[in-house]
Amino acid sequence: MTPIAKGRLFVISGPSGVGKGTLRKALFKSVQGLEYSVSCTTREPRNREIDGVDYQFIDLDHFKDLVKEGRFLEWAEVHGNFYGTLKENVKRILESGRDAILEIDVQGALQVKESEPGAVLIFIMPPSEKELRSRLKRRGTEKEEDLRNRISGSRDEMLLSARYDHLVVNDDLGRALESLRKIIEGYRDPQRSPKSFS
Ligand code: ADP
Ligand code: 5GP
């Protein structure tokens, strides 16, 4: 009997401002069959963010209810706000046969690997802390204190990168995109190990 087509779960992490969102958007233009799993967050929307597209923006009580109901595949507190991935979103994507892309922090990524060992963890590294700081500043979405928090948090995140399956340095955007594309397409080789999601 032919098995039901199922997608694979890819998790992208890296320090705030390293370029995860930029890379992800470019990746979707060059690789077919991917779908982004939109996370829930209690953080305030930034200027151009759209509810349901960038995040599902929800309040803390709603977030706590979702935790209690066991609706998250993973969730974590990051830089003072809560973020989580709904199981139902990931399940829907994988059952459609597309590969799911999660862009989440290291705590969440390790929770996913624990419950879904077939998930592929990819860590995006900055070329240097100086460059990371200047990208965050240039983006201009955080106040000075939040910016400092994000930079200091990045050191702990980078320590945990050793537990990831792949590291990609986002120095030149085109080169980083190419590395990411090759990693993902490499897993589409039918000879590779089976996937799982329950
Ligand atoms: P993240 O999603 O990891 O927080 P963003 O994608 O928002 O990061 O990128 C942060 C800033 O860095 C943005 O202004 C983006 O245009 C810029 N950026 C991303 N990748 C590169 C790169 N390879 N070289 C220079 N600037 C970059
Ligand atoms: P930002 O506030 O800059 O959008 O995201 C801050 C951090 O939260 C980033 O490291 C981002 O990857 C992470 N994040 C976004 N969504 C989720 C999620 O659903 N779960 C977890 N654990 N982290 C998330």
Side-chain angles (χ1 to χ4, degrees):
M1 200 167 68
T2 321
I4 300 165
K6 270 194 171 186
R8 190 180 287 273
L9 190 48
F10 291 96
V11 178
I12 298 178
S13 307
S16 181
V18 73
K20 299 179 296 296
T22 307
L23 273 169
R24 184 210 351 126
K25 284 172 194 151
L27 184 71
F28 276 67
K29 290 191 183 139
S30 67
V31 179
Q32 302 295 304
L34 300 176
E35 189 172 335
Y36 177 53
S37 163
V38 177
S39 295
C40 296
T41 184
T42 61
R43 154 166 93 57
E44 288 297 313
R46 292 179 188 138
N47 254 345
R48 276 191 290 245
E49 285 181 328
I50 301 168
D51 188 28
V53 174
D54 298 288
Y55 282 106
Q56 267 180 262
F57 294 99
I58 60 177
D59 63 27
L60 186 58
D61 285 341
H62 187 177
F63 194 95
K64 285 180 177 165
D65 285 343
L66 293 171
V67 171
K68 261 192 234 150
E69 291 161 14
R71 304 264 298 277
F72 286 124
L73 173 61
E74 62 73 36
W75 65 272
E77 185 178 358
V78 191
H79 315 306
N81 294 298
F82 290 88
Y83 298 81
T85 304
L86 287 172
K87 284 180 188 164
E88 65 217 40
N89 284 353
V90 176
K91 202 161 188 277
R92 179 186 53 73
I93 298 170
L94 298 183
E95 284 180 353
S96 76
R98 287 188 292 277
D99 291 330
I101 303 283
L102 272 55
E103 199 188 303
I104 64 177
D105 90 313
V106 286
Q107 308 168 72
L110 297 176
Q111 290 174 47
V112 171
K113 190 72 171 181
E114 184 104 3
S115 57
E116 296 300 323
V120 179
L121 306 193
I122 306 168
F123 194 91
I124 313 291
M125 279 280 185
S128 65
E129 190 173 300
K130 188 162 169 260
E131 173 62 16
L132 181 65
R133 182 185 297 274
S134 88
R135 283 184 195 171
L136 262 180
K137 279 207 154 157
R138 222 178 310 135
R139 189 172 72 185
T141 48
E142 276 78 31
K143 297 198 182 80
E144 185 56 36
E145 190 192 341
D146 195 18
L147 205 139
R148 272 201 302 272
N149 266 339
R150 284 173 182 248
I151 299 278
S152 66
S154 74
R155 294 179 198 129
D156 295 334
E157 287 176 276
M158 286 193 267
L159 285 176
L160 287 168
S161 67
R163 306 202 19 209
Y164 278 62
D165 301 301
H166 301 275
L167 295 187
V168 172
V169 179
N170 183 18
D171 189 350
D172 174 77
L173 188 65
R175 267 205 302 273
L177 175 62
E178 190 53 17
S179 306
L180 202 51
R181 191 185 64 74
K182 279 192 180 143
I183 291 168
I184 290 175
E185 290 188 339
Y187 282 91
R188 289 179 169 174
D189 176 347
Q191 303 300 320
R192 286 193 94 129
S193 60
K195 316 156 234 184
S196 74
F197 190 79
S198 46

